[in-house]
Amino acid sequence: MSELYSLPKGWEWKKLEDLFTITSSKRVLKEDWLEKGIPFYRAREIVKLSQNGFVDNELFISEEMYNSFSKKYGLPKVNDILVTGVGTLGITYIVKENEKFYFKDGNIIWLKNDSNTNSKYIEYGFQTEFLKNQINSNSGSTVATYTITNANNTIIPIPPLEEQKRIVAKLDILFKKIDKAIALHQKNIDEVNVFMASVLNDVFLELEEKYEKKELSNLVSKLGDGLHGTPKYDDNGEYYFINGANVKDNKIIVNQNTKKVNEDEYNKYKKELNDRTIFVSINGTIGNVGLYNNEKCILGKSACYFNLLENIDKIYITYVLKNGDFQEYIEKNSTGATIKNVSLKTMRAYKIPLPPLPTQQKVVAYLDEISNKMEKIKQIQKEKMQSLKALKASILDQAFKGEL
C-alpha cells in the first residue's frame, strides 16, 4: 500500500470497515438465472452502470427469489455502494432510490452505508491513484480479485461530513466541464472513424462492380485456427501463446500478461506462419485483424490464421477485412448469444472483390494516404483526451489531500 500522507486538521485516515458494513450477496446458482424477471447484475453490468448510468441487462432472477432474499438477507438500499471485485476492479455504483435488482456473489462487493459518510465522496475516492494502488496490490497474481477482506482493510482519507459534501460539489462542477470536453474529442474521433468507414465502403462497392468476387478459400494456401485446449505454460518460455485478444490494429500485441510456453510446447503446436500470414479474432471479440511479423508464438482457438497466395496484396486484404461488409458478414454468421464465435467455414466462404495485383496496390496506396491523415487527426484528439484525464487525476489527488 502507498505510504500515508499528512492530512489537514479534522481529517482522519479510516479503513472502509470503519465506515461501512462490507459483505456480498446470497449465492444464486446458474440454473436459477432467467431471461426475464428481476435484473441480476454481474461485475460487467456494474461497469456499464457506472459508465453509462444504465445497462441492457441479460440475466434475471424470479420475483419469488428476489422477495425471499429481501426478507432473509436484505437488499442494497439507496446510497449503498457496489464495487466490482473481479475483471475491472474497483468500479463503483451508488444504488439509487426504488431500484429493484440482485447481484452475483464473489463478483461484487456490497458496502452498506450505515454511517453518515457521503457515498459520492467514496465513489470519487475509488477513482484516486491512492485507492487504485491499494486495490491492485491486493488483487493476487493469477486471477485479479478485490475481496471483502481487501475492502475492509482499504484505507481512505476522511474529512468531516460537510467537507465531504463541499469536495463532492466542487468535483461535480469541475468534472462536468472536463467530461464534456473529453466527450467532444471522442465525438471527433468517432466522426473520423465514420468517415474512414464510408471511404472503405465506397471503394469496395466500386471494386465489386468491376471485378469478380472470390471466396477467401481460393486466395490462401492455408486457413486454420489455433489450439483447442491449453498448452503447458512456462513463465520463462521464449514463445507467446496468442489468442484473439492479442490481435488488433494489424498487429500482434503482447505484454507482461501474455502467457508463454517453452520450446517443446512451441514445437508441439506451432503453425506454418510466414510473411503472408494474417490473423483474425473469431471468438469473443470478433473481426480484429493482425499481421504476422515473425513473432515467436503459438495460436489459440479464438483466432484463425491464413496464408495468402503470392498474387494477393496482404494490406489490400486487411482493408477488405476492416470494411463494414466483412464485419456485418461475420456478425450475421456468428454463433453464440453471449460469446460470439465465427467458424472456419464462414471465414473460407467470405467473398472478396479481387482486381489484378497492380490495382490492389493502387487501392492500398490510396487508402493508406487517407488513413494516415485520419490517424494523425485521431492522435491529436487522443492526446488532448489524455491531457484532460491527467488533469482529472491531478484534481482528485488534490481533493483527497485536502488541497482543493
Side-chain angles (χ1 to χ4, degrees), residues 7 14 22 125 169 187 198 272 282:
L7 295 175
K14 294 277 191 180
I22 303 179
K187 181 182 177 184
S198 175
E272 296 177 12
I282 58 172

Side-chain angles (χ1 to χ4, degrees), residues 8 37 73 81 106 176 185 190 245 255 263 270 288 296 321 349 370 377 391-392:
Y73 313 110
I81 305 174
K176 184 177 181 180
H185 292 305
D190 294 341
N255 55 42
E263 189 170 6
K270 67 182 180 181
N288 284 343
K296 294 181 176 181
L321 299 178
I370 297 175
I377 294 172
L391 176 60
K392 284 184 70 172

Side-chain angles (χ1 to χ4, degrees), residues 96-136:
K96 297 178 176 59
E97 202 162 4
N98 298 322
E99 284 192 285
K100 289 183 72 173
F101 67 89
Y102 206 62
F103 61 96
K104 193 174 189 303
D105 68 298
N107 273 222
I108 300 165
I109 299 168
W110 177 8
L111 276 57
K112 296 182 179 181
N113 195 346
D114 301 323
S115 66
N116 287 324
T117 307
N118 186 291
S119 294
K120 191 67 182 289
Y121 176 84
I122 300 298
E123 183 175 55
Y124 276 130
F126 269 91
Q127 298 173 32
T128 64
E129 289 302 312
F130 182 79
L131 258 74
K132 287 180 181 178
N133 289 338
Q134 293 181 67
I135 291 169
N136 292 329

Side-chain angles (χ1 to χ4, degrees), residues 308-349:
L308 293 168
L309 299 175
E310 290 294 329
N311 64 332
I312 313 296
D313 188 293
K314 66 180 180 182
I315 305 302
Y316 174 82
I317 297 300
T318 65
Y319 278 122
V320 170
L321 299 178
K322 290 177 184 176
N323 188 26
D325 181 75
F326 174 71
Q327 299 296 325
E328 290 174 14
Y329 169 79
I330 57 173
E331 284 283 344
K332 181 180 177 181
N333 291 283
S334 64
T335 58
T338 305
I339 300 176
K340 295 184 180 296
N341 182 71
V342 181
S343 69
L344 296 183
K345 180 180 178 181
T346 295
M347 289 296 301
R348 291 188 182 101

Side-chain angles (χ1 to χ4, degrees), residues 69-237:
F69 286 177
S70 174
K71 291 177 183 177
K72 292 181 180 179
Y73 313 110
L75 297 169
K77 64 181 188 301
V78 64
N79 289 325
D80 284 355
I81 305 174
L82 302 179
V83 185
T84 55
V86 297
T88 305
L89 304 180
I91 303 300
T92 57
Y93 176 69
I94 299 174
V95 179
K96 297 178 176 59
E97 202 162 4
N98 298 322
E99 284 192 285
K100 289 183 72 173
F101 67 89
Y102 206 62
F103 61 96
K104 193 174 189 303
D105 68 298
N107 273 222
I108 300 165
I109 299 168
W110 177 8
L111 276 57
K112 296 182 179 181
N113 195 346
D114 301 323
S115 66
N116 287 324
T117 307
N118 186 291
S119 294
K120 191 67 182 289
Y121 176 84
I122 300 298
E123 183 175 55
Y124 276 130
F126 269 91
Q127 298 173 32
T128 64
E129 289 302 312
F130 182 79
L131 258 74
K132 287 180 181 178
N133 289 338
Q134 293 181 67
I135 291 169
N136 292 329
S137 67
N138 291 322
S139 64
S141 57
T142 306
V143 179
T145 57
Y146 182 55
T147 66
I148 291 173
T149 300
N150 298 149
N152 277 321
N153 292 315
T154 298
I155 295 175
I156 185 170
I158 297 291
L161 182 59
E162 289 306 310
E163 179 66 1
Q164 293 176 40
K165 292 177 180 178
R166 185 195 72 80
I167 289 171
V168 166
K170 192 161 186 179
L171 289 176
D172 282 347
I173 293 170
L174 291 172
F175 286 2
K176 184 177 181 180
K177 295 177 181 178
I178 295 173
D179 288 341
K180 186 176 180 180
I182 290 173
L184 179 60
H185 292 305
Q186 184 59 56
K187 181 182 177 184
N188 292 338
I189 291 172
D190 294 341
E191 288 176 351
V192 168
N193 289 336
V194 169
F195 172 76
M196 194 64 208
S198 175
V199 170
L200 283 173
N201 184 62
D202 290 345
V203 166
F204 286 105
L205 280 176
E206 184 176 340
L207 290 172
E208 286 179 15
E209 293 175 358
K210 294 181 179 180
Y211 301 101
E212 179 185 359
K213 295 176 75 174
K214 295 186 178 181
E215 291 188 356
L216 182 60
S217 59
N218 295 320
L219 309 183
V220 302
S221 59
K222 180 76 174 178
L223 191 155
D225 60 359
L227 172 63
H228 286 241
T230 304
K232 184 178 179 182
Y233 299 133
D234 183 347
D235 290 341
N236 296 316

